[in-house]
């Protein structure tokens, strides 16, 4: 699938030097507005989020849409991030950004990664590098979104905007360091957190917060993780890489492509073109660290990183004009044994009150671009569960599924990442050859795109008994969107884009062959709207809109002009809000004019149709026959509480 229709990636900036913040604001002074919540942190909250990195902000943005939930985010830094750290945004992350309504801003500002090139020692003169090949970066049809690159700081800005404009109007409390966390215990329902103020006006003062749930999004050196007695474990085969964001002049021809360069004797470079058209990131292999060795002991300087980059790039020249940010980044693939405070043997008898997400529970090399992406997906997985439990819509035991699901994902990614980092770090021709690197890169493209995550059967993920009804909506994988036409107004649309970060479940009913007016869809709608066994009836509170908890949508196989809107079941034209207005956005048809038939694209049984249940974090929970009422009810009964 081509992404050209999405536009974007065309804005140029940083020509005369790097400037952080929103490039569309001409006045540099206005790019750094005052931000951060004022006054003391609240003494009692439902959720305390520790750390305003990508995972903390994803969680905060999700919770901020629910003003009935009292959430607070604290950060030890004095203000928002302006530059540095991660920059790769996987296709899957873009899908999630769409749920938060800022994918368009990212598409416009980011650099799109279209091609990856591979360079190896020139066989005629191994002291020089030569291009060995290039490949398309993301396979066709993997996602409607491209793989893009944008400074982590800008991702933070977009989340901060979502929070600021939200119903809860949330802002981080800066200059607060969490010093200790006491999880809830028998006899004490809430976790207790002690914070230290770091700003000069309040230095040395401490604050105490009592929280129903504490989420440690506080990075690789997490205090929250230590407080619950968990540690990151992994191999000690660390690699040290110099990373620098530069404005430079070079005759290396692939400087605007993602390029993997393996030299004969000087090591490897990964080049990442960056937003704005001029900025470039270099990851430069510096050293393999010994067991227990920290990179700081090597006293690596920026000049040494630039010099190494020049040697690897030989025979091409590199003249660095400005370094916007640089760091020496040491990599270990490490994983915590559990992502909450409940020991495995107590899962049946205790509920978690403290969670850890992102780098606090797993670390990756930056080469596969996983750190920031996986961290945000952790928070997206946890967010809706916390909301559903705090709103008493789901059983609190659902919270155990966070650690179970996300640890399995992190484990798999770390295995992949370890192999990948080792492959890239191999130098002097004594290990992997470039052809192997390239082959591995292609095979694992789905990991790097973030679309390989596959949750195994559990209370949230149904068994594959009816998978054959929709082969392309794999149970446990993310809902793979496809183009459709909205019935009521003929608007071309992406079906997956109806799944917003609003903590609701979706049921997509794909109609089978036959007249839709008298079809099984109508009987399904009658069941969902009227039966006492219907999960929609059972779990929606009286007075709430019919789609407040479970949002039912239908997709018909016919062209949109062949259907009669007014003859459709009332469930698909629900009356909502204080005036009882019709919601016209529940029905879709294939985009036949565009030659893209969702039924064919996603392997949906045209005769039988099916139901696809989608979780609030966009993963396919179940595929069922259209008359699978009993299975549908028992799926939701497994973890939901009556409204
Ligand atoms: C210096 C550095 C360079 C990096 N470079 C790259 C890179 O080049 N490429 C790449 O892919 N990834 C890189 N990463 C990793 C990437 O940034 C992370 O994978 C990603 O940010 C993880 O997100 P997170 O929200 O889990 O944690 P983080 O982004 O680490 O956020 C944690 C936040 O918690 C705050 N915090 C920590 N302790 C406390 C406390 N006790 N109280 C209050 N607040 C606290 C921190 O200040 C921080 O803002 C880098 C990370 C670092 C630290």
């Amino acid at each position: 699938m081509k992404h050209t229709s999405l536009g974007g990636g065309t804005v140029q900036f940083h020509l005369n030097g790097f400037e952080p913040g929103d490039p569309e604001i001409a006045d540099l002074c206005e790019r750094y507005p005052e931000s951060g919540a004022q006054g003391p942190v609240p003494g009692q909250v439902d959720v305390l989020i520790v750390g305003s990195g990508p995972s903390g902000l994803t969680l905060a943005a999700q919770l901020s849409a629910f003003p009935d939930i009292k959430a607070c985010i604290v950060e030890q830094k004095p203000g928002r991030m302006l530059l540095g750290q991660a920059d790769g945004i996987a296709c899957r992350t873009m899908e999630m950004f769409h749920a938060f309504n800022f994918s368009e801003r990212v598409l416009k500002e980011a650099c799109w990664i279209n091609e990856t090139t591979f360079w190896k020692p020139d066989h005629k003169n191994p002291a020089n590098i030569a291009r060995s090949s290039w490949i398309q970066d993301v396979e066709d049809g993997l996602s409607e979104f491209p793989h893009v690159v944008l400074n982590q700081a800008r991702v933070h800005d977009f989340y901060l905007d979502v929070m600021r404009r939200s119903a809860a109007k949330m802002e981080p409390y800066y200059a607060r360091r969490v010093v200790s966390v006491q999880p809830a215990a028998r006899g004490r329902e809430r976790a207790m957190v002690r914070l230290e103020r770091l700003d000069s006006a309040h230095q040395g003062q401490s604050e105490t917060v009592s929280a129903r749930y504490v989420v440690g999004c506080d990075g690789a050196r997490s205090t929250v993780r230590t407080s619950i007695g968990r540690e990151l474990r992994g191999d000690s085969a660390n690699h040290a890489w110099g990373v620098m964001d530069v404005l430079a002049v070079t005759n290396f021809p692939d400087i605007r492509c993602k390029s993997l360069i393996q030299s004969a004797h000087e090591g490897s470079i990964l080049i990442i073109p960056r937003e704005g058209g001029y900025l470039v990131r270099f990851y430069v292999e510096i050293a393999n660290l010994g067991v227990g060795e920290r990179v700081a002991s090597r006293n690596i300087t920026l000049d040494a990183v630039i010099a190494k980059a020049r040697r690897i790039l030989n025979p091409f020249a590199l003249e660095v004009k400005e370094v916007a940010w640089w760091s020496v980044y040491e990599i270990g693939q490490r994983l915590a044994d559990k992502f909450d405070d409940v020991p495995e043997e107590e899962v049946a008898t205790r509920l978690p009150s403290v969670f850890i997400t992102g780098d606090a529970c797993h670390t990756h090399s930056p080469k596969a671009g996983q750190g920031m992406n996986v961290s945000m997906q952790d928070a997206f997985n946890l967010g809706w569960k916390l909301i559903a439990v705090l709103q008493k819509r789901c059983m609190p035991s659902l919270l155990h599924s966070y650690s179970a699901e996300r640890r399995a994902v992190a484990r798999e990614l770390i295995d992949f990442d370890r192999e990948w980092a080792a492959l890239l770090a191999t130098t002097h021709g004594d290990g992997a050859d470039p052809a192997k690197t390239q082959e591995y890169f292609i095979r694992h493209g789905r990991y790097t795109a973030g679309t390989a995550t596959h949750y195994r059967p559990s209370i949230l993920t149904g068994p594959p008994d009816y998978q054959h009804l929709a082969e392309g909506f794999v149970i446990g994988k993310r809902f793979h969107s496809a183009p459709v036409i909205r019935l009521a107004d003929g608007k071309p649309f992406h079906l997956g884009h109806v799944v917003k970060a609003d903590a609701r479940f979706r049921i997509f009913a794909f109609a089978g062959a036959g007249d839709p007016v008298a079809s099984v869809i109508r009987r399904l709608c009658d069941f969902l709207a009227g039966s006492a066994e219907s999960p929609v009836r059972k779990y929606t509170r009286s007075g709430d809109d019919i789609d407040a908890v479970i949002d039912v949508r239908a997709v018909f196989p016919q062209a949109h002009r062949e259907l009669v809107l007014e003859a459709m079941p009332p469930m698909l034209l629900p009356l909502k809000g204080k005036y009882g207005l019709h919601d016209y956005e529940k029905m879709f048809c294939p985009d036949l004019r565009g030659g893209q038939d969702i039924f064919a694209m996603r392997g949906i049984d045209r005769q039988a149709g099916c139901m696809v249940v989608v979780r609030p974090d966009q993963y396919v929970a179940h595929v069922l026959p259209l008359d699978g009422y009993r299975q549908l009810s028992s799926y939701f009964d497994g973890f939901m509480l009556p409204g």
Side-chain angles (χ1 to χ4, degrees):
M1 191 182 304
K2 298 281 172 276
H3 311 289
T4 43
S5 59
L6 295 168
T10 53
V11 200
Q12 285 187 299
F13 44 90
H14 297 323
L15 175 61
N16 295 311
F18 177 88
E19 285 296 342
D22 184 346
E24 292 198 2
I25 300 178
D27 185 341
L28 298 181
C29 305
E30 287 180 14
R31 286 193 187 180
Y32 321 113
E34 279 287 306
S35 71
Q38 306 300 315
V41 294
Q44 193 161 328
V45 294
D46 293 315
V47 184
L48 180 73
I49 303 165
V50 184
S52 72
S55 65
L57 291 173
T58 304
L59 185 59
Q62 209 175 346
L63 295 176
S64 70
F66 297 87
D68 54 318
I69 293 175
K70 198 167 177 187
C72 164
I73 176 165
V74 294
E75 166 59 53
Q76 65 184 4
K77 290 184 186 137
R80 72 182 172 110
M81 181 190 234
L82 293 178
L83 73 174
Q85 298 195 202
D87 57 7
I89 299 172
C91 305
R92 169 71 199 119
T93 304
M94 288 299 295
E95 294 170 5
M96 184 187 73
F97 286 170
H98 197 84
F100 284 99
N101 292 325
F102 62 79
S103 64
E104 287 89 352
R105 294 180 73 185
V106 177
L107 283 172
K108 187 171 169 196
E109 193 171 318
C111 174
W112 294 24
I113 302 296
N114 308 299
E115 305 221 306
T116 296
T117 72
F118 295 85
W119 290 70
K120 64 176 185 179
D122 186 348
H123 67 273
K124 289 188 226 124
N125 177 4
N128 290 351
I129 53 165
R131 189 196 289 118
S132 61
S133 61
W134 61 82
I135 60 166
Q136 183 174 316
D137 186 73
V138 178
E139 71 180 275
D140 284 341
L142 195 61
S143 171
E144 72 277 21
F145 288 106
H147 169 199
V148 303
V149 175
L150 183 66
N151 192 341
Q152 179 176 330
R154 292 296 290 145
V155 172
H156 289 199
D157 287 348
F158 296 138
Y159 274 127
L160 289 167
D161 277 355
V162 171
M163 290 157 57
R164 216 170 280 135
R165 296 172 196 183
S166 70
K169 291 193 181 156
M170 216 194 281
E171 290 263 15
Y173 287 85
Y174 291 113
R176 256 79 174 195
R177 180 187 293 135
V178 164
V179 286
S180 68
V181 179
Q182 269 183 287
R186 286 190 218 294
R188 196 188 59 239
E189 268 206 335
R190 307 175 71 87
M192 299 303 293
V193 181
R194 204 163 66 77
L195 301 151
E196 177 184 299
R197 294 194 75 166
L198 304 174
D199 59 308
S200 53
H202 303 91
Q203 199 138 26
Q205 292 180 14
S206 62
E207 291 168 312
T208 306
V209 180
S210 127
R212 186 74 197 80
Y213 299 108
V214 176
V215 189
C217 309
D218 50 344
R221 300 200 179 132
S222 168
T223 303
V224 178
R225 182 188 66 233
T226 323
S227 298
I228 57 171
R230 306 243 171 255
E231 55 181 296
L232 288 179
R233 294 208 183 100
D235 62 26
S236 51
N238 284 344
H239 305 294
W241 291 75
V243 46
M244 52 184 185
D245 291 341
V246 301
L247 295 167
V249 178
T250 180
N251 56 352
F252 177 68
D254 291 347
I255 198 74
R256 296 309 301 169
C257 297
K258 178 173 168 183
S259 300
L260 278 156
I261 303 166
Q262 287 176 290
S263 70
H265 303 292
E266 296 291 350
S268 307
I269 291 183
L270 175 64
I271 292 179
I272 310 277
R274 285 281 299 271
E275 65 274 14
Y278 304 104
L279 194 70
V280 180
R281 171 165 289 193
F282 281 75
Y283 284 106
V284 185
E285 184 192 1
I286 300 292
N288 280 343
L289 300 176
V291 177
E293 189 186 0
R294 298 311 302 253
V295 72
S297 66
R298 301 263 180 132
N299 292 324
I300 293 159
T301 62
L302 173 61
D303 286 344
V305 177
I306 295 173
K308 185 90 191 263
R310 284 206 180 109
R311 293 200 298 277
I312 296 171
L313 274 179
N314 191 54
F316 301 103
L318 176 70
E319 201 186 328
V320 175
K321 300 287 187 186
E322 181 180 317
V323 178
W325 175 80
W326 81 283
S327 168
V328 177
Y329 188 47
E330 66 193 305
I331 301 143
Q333 284 84 25
R334 297 197 177 91
L335 182 64
D337 52 340
K338 206 150 177 297
F339 293 3
D340 62 31
D341 61 319
V342 178
E344 201 60 62
E345 60 280 8
E346 293 180 30
V347 163
T349 55
R350 246 183 78 187
L351 292 168
S353 65
V354 182
F355 304 87
I356 44 179
T357 68
D359 277 14
C361 44
H362 47 75
T363 59
H364 311 259
S365 87
K367 302 299 116 17
Q370 294 294 347
M372 174 164 72
N373 291 289
V374 185
S375 301
M376 291 189 279
Q377 293 292 337
D378 285 347
F380 200 36
N381 179 295
L382 179 60
W384 71 266
K385 294 173 183 173
L386 285 173
I387 294 162
V389 169
L390 283 163
Q391 291 187 328
K392 297 191 169 45
R393 289 194 282 103
C394 284
M395 300 169 191
S397 57
L398 175 71
L399 296 174
H400 286 303
S401 69
Y402 164 69
S403 179
E405 290 188 333
R406 294 309 296 174
R407 191 175 182 280
V409 168
R411 162 88 276 156
E412 212 173 293
L413 282 169
I414 278 175
D415 289 345
F416 159 63
D417 193 34
R418 186 180 291 133
E419 261 181 275
W420 181 229
L423 217 75
L424 284 173
T426 310
T427 55
H428 311 293
D430 57 355
D433 64 73
K436 193 172 161 204
T437 308
Q438 188 182 336
E439 187 272 328
Y440 193 82
F441 182 88
I442 296 167
R443 197 154 47 89
H444 287 275
R446 289 176 182 200
Y447 275 101
T448 34
T451 57
T453 298
H454 193 170
Y455 296 132
R456 302 297 154 191
S458 69
I459 51 160
L460 281 174
T461 308
D465 303 355
Y466 298 98
Q467 183 68 75
H468 60 277
L469 295 176
E471 300 280 1
F473 290 125
V474 180
I475 300 169
K477 291 191 141 195
R478 68 56 153 118
F479 183 74
H480 188 181
S481 183
V484 285
I485 298 286
R486 201 159 57 193
L487 176 62
D489 58 358
K491 183 182 194 294
F493 206 82
H494 244 281
L495 190 60
H497 295 186
V498 304
V499 188
K500 294 292 182 191
D502 57 11
R504 290 191 287 167
F505 274 82
R506 260 95 195 169
I507 297 173
F508 291 101
F510 289 87
D515 173 8
V517 178
S519 70
V520 265
I521 287 278
R522 175 171 288 276
R523 288 199 290 279
L524 171 66
C525 288
D526 290 347
F527 162 76
L528 290 171
S531 166
E533 292 308 308
S534 153
V536 176
R537 282 272 316 262
K538 230 191 282 184
Y539 301 116
T540 309
R541 291 178 186 154
S542 95
D544 283 353
D545 285 335
I546 187 74
D547 60 358
V549 179
I550 301 172
D551 177 18
V552 179
R553 312 259 175 163
V555 187
F556 297 96
Q558 293 85 350
H560 69 286
R561 288 193 194 144
E562 287 173 27
L563 297 174
V564 181
L565 184 89
E566 59 275 22
M568 291 299 174
M571 176 90 193
L572 297 175
L573 283 166
L575 302 172
K576 289 168 52 180
K578 73 172 184 179
Y579 296 119
L581 304 182
H582 280 294
D583 184 338
Y584 288 101
E585 304 195 357
K586 303 292 187 190
M587 291 176 279
F588 304 88
C589 297
D591 184 1
L592 299 176
R593 199 178 42 189
Q596 295 178 306
D597 179 354
I598 188 170
F599 284 77
M601 293 172 81
R602 298 291 172 259
I604 294 157
D605 187 317
R606 285 184 184 279
Q607 198 56 37
C610 68
M611 270 189 276
V612 179
V613 182
V614 178
R615 298 163 33 150
D617 53 6
Q618 302 175 317
Y619 281 81
V620 177
H622 223 326
V623 174
L624 289 168
L626 285 171
D627 60 357
Y629 310 152
R630 192 180 45 78
Q631 294 99 320
L632 185 72
S633 300
S634 74
Y635 168 75
F636 284 106
D637 292 347
F639 57 90
M640 293 198 86
L641 294 170

